[in-house]
Amino acid sequence: MQTEQTQVAIIGAGPAGLILGHLLHQRGIDSVILERRDRDYVIERVRAGVLEQGTVDLLREMGLAERLDREGMRHEGLYIAFDGTRHRIDLAGLTGGRAITIYGQNEVVRDLIEAREATGRPLYFNVSNVSLHELDTRRPFVRYIQDGTARQLRCDFVAGCDGFHGVSRRSVPEGVFTTYERGYPFAWLGILAQAPPTSDELVYSLHDRGFALFSMRSPAVTRLYLQVDPDENLDDWSDDRIWNELLVRLRTSDGWEPAVGPIFQKGITPMRSFVVEPMRYGRLFLAGDAAHIVPPTGAKGLNLAAADVWRLAGAIADHYAANDDTGLDTYSARGLQRTWWAQRFSWWMTSTLHRSTDGSPFDHRRQRAELDYLVQSKAAMTSLAESYAGLPLA
Ligand code: APR
Ligand code: PHB
């Protein structure tokens, strides 16, 4: 069997695996990234697009923000809309200048893949049958198949960055992990449309017919989402039906509404909250969606993944440079604190802004009071702003 040796085997070339690979590279640490999909698939995959201040700062420090700084759209606020009125929340004003940047996750991934390729370090696409071995020893290894050939990768550490459906989390003996999960009785139908954004900032809207979100990708492309049933069939949603529903749910009494244009991408995403504890087993460290999933309403998924691997890279660097394992030993506990804070916020944004079909009239009134309080109380707005713009990496 062909055998290769590295320091860190990284499973998955999503944002988590790619950011980790680059942070390790900057510290002179070798890694091999194994990805089961092909390069184009990984780059084209449409995902969310909100980068927290801390994620932008990290990408800048990594020297990877040249295109992000040129094409990303910095937003210092956002709108919450209900009962026909948009209310602005001044993210930057309430957080001492922290803001978000709109830049598609697929663009982040493209920049990261190009940076990885420029380093000349290994990133293998189209690998299959990845399996992890001897994780509870100091000499773990990974087996996989590439171009029909069985290969082995010996390493000191394995980083499980292979997303929710990956192999890493499932490679650990029964009983090691505890999982916490919660489903939601709705999903998001998302579209990309060739239409200039009519608002400079995002609009999160609760309407009697359900939630809708106005976002964007560029001065020419709008990104919009609608709350739908989890078992909704995309084929039942013609472009006309999508636009009708979006306009009804988003239009405000001052006449604001999104511009309509050709839809060039659409999809339905289920919503769930999921956490695995702990984030480590022996020499395997889980990061990103492999360890936790948040509903998209708080826009935390990519940012949480970035925070995980930032912490992991520092911990691995301390191990090699100073034989100091404190960072590795506290990786999980520190990560879980940030994860649960993000879970709390994402759950709150989701339950506050979606219309539950099983909600009673009492619940609907309470939900409106929640929103009313939010947009009138500086304390409530500050709380939202702090979580939405994101806490500093720690
Ligand atoms: N072997 C190798 N690669 C795998 C395997 C496997 N068995 N299983 C999955 N992968 C790859 C996937 O193809 C994907 O490219 O791992 C990668 C995981 O990437 P993401 O799903 O993007 O997860 P992550 O890097 O943690 O990024 C988190 O992505 O899904 C969004 O909402 C999420 O924004 C968040 C961010
Ligand atoms: C997006 O632009 O894709 C987006 C924005 C905000 C969210 C989720 C997704 O909460």
Side-chain angles (χ1 to χ4, degrees):
M1 187 179 307
Q2 287 207 13
T3 299
E4 190 176 353
Q5 177 88 36
T6 191
Q7 289 173 294
V8 184
I10 300 176
I11 319 299
L18 291 164
I19 294 176
L20 178 63
H22 200 81
L23 288 169
L24 294 174
H25 161 74
Q26 290 184 307
R27 290 159 174 79
I29 299 168
D30 291 338
S31 64
V32 171
I33 306 181
L34 303 177
E35 166 58 50
R36 90 180 148 144
R37 302 287 193 162
D38 65 55
R39 189 179 185 278
D40 286 347
Y41 181 92
V42 173
I43 291 181
E44 302 301 331
R45 193 166 38 188
V46 174
R47 295 273 179 87
V50 174
L51 306 187
E52 290 178 2
Q53 184 69 56
T55 306
V56 171
D57 293 345
L58 177 65
L59 291 166
R60 281 193 189 131
E61 276 163 31
M62 292 167 71
L64 297 182
E66 193 246 329
R67 200 161 65 94
L68 165 65
D69 281 332
R70 211 167 357 106
E71 296 175 14
M73 306 163 96
R74 181 180 155 90
H75 288 189
E76 299 204 334
L78 59 77
Y79 290 96
I80 300 284
F82 59 99
D83 289 347
T85 308
R86 279 187 298 161
H87 305 264
R88 184 168 187 271
I89 298 195
D90 181 4
L91 295 174
L94 293 164
T95 60
R98 297 176 78 75
I100 54 151
T101 300
I102 304 298
Y103 188 64
Q105 180 171 315
N106 56 311
E107 306 299 340
V108 175
V109 166
R110 180 192 298 274
D111 296 344
L112 287 163
I113 288 178
E114 284 172 6
R116 175 72 180 187
E117 289 168 348
T119 67
R121 293 188 185 270
L123 162 52
Y124 304 138
F125 291 101
N126 297 312
V127 307
S128 60
N129 295 57
V130 171
S131 60
L132 314 184
H133 305 269
E134 305 288 332
L135 293 169
D136 55 346
T137 73
R138 287 162 165 265
R139 296 272 170 273
F141 61 93
V142 180
R143 289 207 169 127
Y144 63 98
I145 293 176
Q146 189 181 24
D147 300 328
T149 307
R151 294 173 196 267
Q152 179 161 285
L153 178 61
R154 301 200 157 278
C155 56
D156 300 330
F157 298 101
V158 179
C161 302
D162 46 355
F164 183 68
H165 300 287
V167 68
S168 300
R169 199 177 59 247
R170 289 184 277 115
S171 305
V172 164
E174 195 83 9
V176 169
F177 288 149
T178 306
T179 56
Y180 299 86
E181 208 165 355
R182 185 200 156 105
Y184 296 86
F186 19 79
W188 277 14
L189 189 164
I191 63 159
L192 284 167
Q194 212 67 52
T198 52
S199 163
D200 290 342
E201 295 171 343
L202 270 50
V203 183
Y204 286 81
S205 174
L206 175 64
H207 185 273
D208 279 344
R209 298 178 60 87
F211 171 75
L213 170 61
F214 173 93
S215 180
M216 63 200 72
R217 283 295 175 272
S218 75
V221 173
T222 321
R223 174 80 168 143
L224 298 132
Y225 297 94
L226 276 177
Q227 171 189 345
V228 294
D229 287 339
D231 52 5
E232 199 73 54
N233 186 349
L234 198 54
D235 295 337
D236 294 338
W237 285 85
S238 66
D239 291 4
D240 277 353
R241 182 173 175 208
I242 293 174
W243 280 120
N244 282 340
E245 199 61 35
L246 281 167
L247 290 171
V248 166
R249 294 193 199 177
L250 284 167
R251 190 181 283 135
T252 43
S253 1
D254 59 1
W256 178 79
E257 62 182 24
V260 173
I263 296 176
F264 62 93
Q265 200 271 343
K266 55 180 162 178
I268 292 186
T269 325
M271 288 174 114
R272 64 159 77 84
S273 299
F274 172 86
V275 180
V276 58
E277 293 192 2
M279 295 170 72
R280 171 187 190 176
Y281 170 68
R283 287 287 178 106
L284 169 69
F285 292 83
L286 299 178
D289 277 16
H292 38 66
I293 299 283
V294 283
T297 329
K300 288 282 160 265
L302 165 64
N303 298 294
L304 211 45
D308 286 344
V309 293
W310 171 80
R311 227 175 328 103
L312 184 55
I316 293 175
D318 288 348
H319 168 87
Y320 286 118
N323 205 18
D324 176 358
D325 282 355
T326 321
L328 292 174
D329 292 338
T330 57
Y331 171 76
S332 176
R334 289 194 292 154
L336 285 169
Q337 185 184 46
R338 194 178 184 94
T339 300
W340 279 111
W341 283 35
Q343 290 293 1
R344 180 207 69 82
F345 177 66
S346 306
W347 166 85
W348 177 81
M349 283 284 278
T350 303
S351 48
T352 302
L353 288 162
H354 288 70
R355 186 42 56 97
S356 193
T357 42
D358 56 6
S360 64
F362 177 91
D363 289 331
H364 293 164
R365 286 282 194 279
R366 185 199 46 74
Q367 191 177 28
R368 206 169 67 198
E370 177 88 37
L371 289 168
D372 224 18
Y373 169 63
L374 170 67
V375 300
Q376 291 187 48
S377 156
K378 190 171 176 194
M381 282 189 278
T382 306
S383 169
L384 181 149
E386 180 178 73
S387 289
Y388 195 86
L391 296 169
L393 294 177

